[in-house]
Amino acid sequence: MSRTARDRGWDEPRWFETTRDDAGTGVTALALRGHPRLVLACGGDGTVNAVATGLAHTGVAMGIVPIGTGNLVARNLGIGSGARDAVTSAFDGADRRIDMGLLDERPFVGMGGIGLDAEMVRDTSPRMKRLLGWPAYLPAVLKGLRSGAGRVAVRVDDGPWLTRRVLGAVVGNVGALQGGVSLLPEADPADGLLDLALLRDVRARGWLVTAGRLIGSRRVDGPAVERFRFRRLELRSSRTKPFEVDGEVCGTTRSLKVEVDPGALVVKVPA
């Protein structure tokens, strides 16, 4: 990073370390006191979330150096996993203004959810993620599928309340999961909308059909998934479930409110 800055005539970068108590929002506020042109988030989706929260609506561009496990936001924005290429994209790339989401007032850049996906994050050890990468999540997914479904009521924008029996619900500003799997194929981080996938409770055959299509096309489809697009969402669950934003479990709840924050963030992406 220092070499890239020097080669382009920039000042030496200033470094701010995150801590267990400050995932990045506080140190981003410190960085902004120096009136930077560019702030780079070096870490996984949790770090990207924290830095983005600090930069939202400031107009200061964020670069991403993805050195976490999932790196969903970087992957969906076309930012490569190599540190050298990511740094080059941050300095030389194009500015792209993207939306953020608010899940019970908690900002997110990539995805959030309740139920199965939060259980997956909660039940996968950091050590296994470091050793295996995204395949480490698979045992937790299978455990979640066996844990059973609950009934939810969902209201999209000003529409009617809909009742479904689901294993979980995922809201996304981006659409692709680890391994290139497309859960929300219509998601666009710059369209002023968020996307919802309800993971339906169907018979085993329904999940087998979904798995078969996934293997063949890398798109999660079939009777097990129902999708919506929205600006505002309300969800009420019959069971208390864990929920997460950008890969960080935030607690448990029986209700969520989600809304889009249009054009909140400027991100550097490959030109």
Side-chain angles (χ1 to χ4, degrees), residues 16 19 21 43 53 79 112 123 143 175 182 197 210 223-224 239 241 246:
F16 299 84
T19 66
D21 296 325
T53 298
I79 299 170
D123 295 337
K143 177 183 176 183
S182 181
T210 299
R239 298 168 59 180
K241 289 283 190 177
D246 282 335

Side-chain angles (χ1 to χ4, degrees), residues 185-206:
E186 295 185 23
D188 178 344
D191 64 358
L193 297 170
L194 298 174
D195 289 61
L196 166 69
L198 295 178
L199 309 179
R200 301 285 302 275
D201 180 30
V202 296
R203 294 180 179 180
R205 183 179 178 276

Side-chain angles (χ1 to χ4, degrees), residues 98-104 106-112 156-157 170-175 184 186-197 227-233 257-263:
I98 68 170
D99 309 323
M100 293 178 65
L102 295 170
L103 189 153
D104 279 357
R106 293 171 172 84
F108 66 93
V109 187
M111 292 184 178
V156 175
D157 293 326
V170 178
V171 293
N173 190 36
V174 298
L184 298 166
E186 295 185 23
D188 178 344
D191 64 358
L193 297 170
L194 298 174
D195 289 61
L196 166 69
R227 298 184 179 89
F228 300 87
R229 314 197 76 208
F230 66 92
R231 292 182 175 86
R232 295 177 307 280
L233 169 73
K257 291 185 179 181
V258 187
E259 61 181 318
V260 67
D261 187 2

Side-chain angles (χ1 to χ4, degrees), residues 110-127:
M111 292 184 178
I114 183 172
L116 180 61
D117 73 314
E119 293 166 348
M120 174 189 75
V121 173
R122 181 195 63 191
D123 295 337
T124 303
S125 73
R127 178 174 178 272

Side-chain angles (χ1 to χ4, degrees), residues 26-98:
V27 291
T28 299
L30 291 177
L32 287 173
R33 293 180 184 178
H35 305 289
R37 292 170 55 191
L38 174 67
V39 174
L40 282 78
C42 306
D45 288 315
T47 303
V48 170
N49 175 290
V51 175
T53 298
L55 292 178
H57 299 290
T58 66
V60 177
M62 180 176 75
I64 301 175
V65 183
I67 53 175
T69 303
N71 303 317
L72 287 185
V73 174
R75 291 174 189 271
N76 277 273
L77 293 176
I79 299 170
S81 58
R84 185 187 302 273
D85 289 342
V87 170
T88 300
S89 293
F91 279 90
D92 299 339
D95 288 354
R96 185 179 185 191
R97 186 171 288 277
I98 68 170

